[in-house]
Amino acid sequence: MTDSQNIRDRTFAFACAVAKRVLRLQPRPGIRCLIDQLLKSATSVGANLEEAKAGSSKREFIRYVEISLREAREAAYWLRIFAALELDSSQELKELAQEAEQIARILGAIVVKSKLRISAGYALFAFCILNFALVVS
């Protein structure tokens, strides 16, 4: 399994686990909004990675991975709120919060590495132009 497939599978499993967990909660007044926010952010992580895979350029790829990163951080935030409000005090909720943090770290590393590759490409391009200009003159 490739690394890109691994993170895509991991974000899919994360979204499904969050959905299964929060859909068991009683949608009491005021809680439904929190459940919706968590579901939107948790499912958006993987959805944006799928968009990144289909990106037509490196910049577009990075943009979607950055969105996925923000959504992972948001999901971690909502999971912390669930824990703080004691809406769900299960060990599974703590594990999901840790998974959201780990996914965010992985996505952050992907963004940094991808941006470095683009910068290295620009530096190489500039070097080639400069070298060509020196050879021609």
Side-chain angles (χ1 to χ4, degrees):
M1 179 181 307
T2 65
D3 288 339
S4 67
Q5 183 63 41
N6 183 30
I7 189 62
R8 288 172 46 234
D9 289 344
R10 196 164 169 177
T11 57
F12 180 82
F14 171 72
C16 291
V18 168
K20 284 179 186 177
R21 187 77 218 154
V22 299
L23 292 175
R24 287 187 221 143
L25 298 174
Q26 293 298 321
R28 302 182 308 255
I31 303 302
R32 185 78 227 163
C33 176
L34 297 174
I35 291 171
D36 290 344
Q37 287 293 120
L38 175 56
L39 280 173
K40 286 178 186 177
S41 60
T43 56
S44 184
V45 178
N48 280 292
L49 277 183
E50 292 299 325
E51 288 287 335
K53 183 180 181 208
S56 59
S57 68
K58 278 286 189 187
R59 287 189 185 279
E60 189 175 17
F61 170 82
I62 292 169
R63 185 171 59 94
Y64 279 111
V65 176
E66 286 175 328
I67 294 168
S68 189
L69 169 60
R70 287 194 300 268
E71 296 294 338
R73 288 182 175 155
E74 183 180 343
Y77 173 79
W78 289 115
L79 287 163
R80 288 195 333 262
I81 286 188
F82 272 69
L85 296 177
E86 298 176 354
L87 298 176
D88 184 351
S89 58
S90 71
Q91 179 62 29
E92 185 181 2
L93 184 74
K94 293 174 187 170
E95 291 170 3
L96 288 170
Q98 290 172 347
E99 178 68 357
E101 294 290 341
Q102 290 177 3
I103 288 171
R105 280 191 224 108
I106 292 167
L107 295 172
I110 291 170
V111 168
V112 168
K113 190 173 183 179
S114 297
K115 285 183 176 182
L116 285 174
R117 284 185 180 158
I118 286 178
S119 294
Y122 288 148
L124 180 61
F125 179 71
F127 175 77
C128 290
I129 295 293
L130 181 60
N131 191 30
F132 179 76
L134 291 174
V135 169
V136 171
S137 60

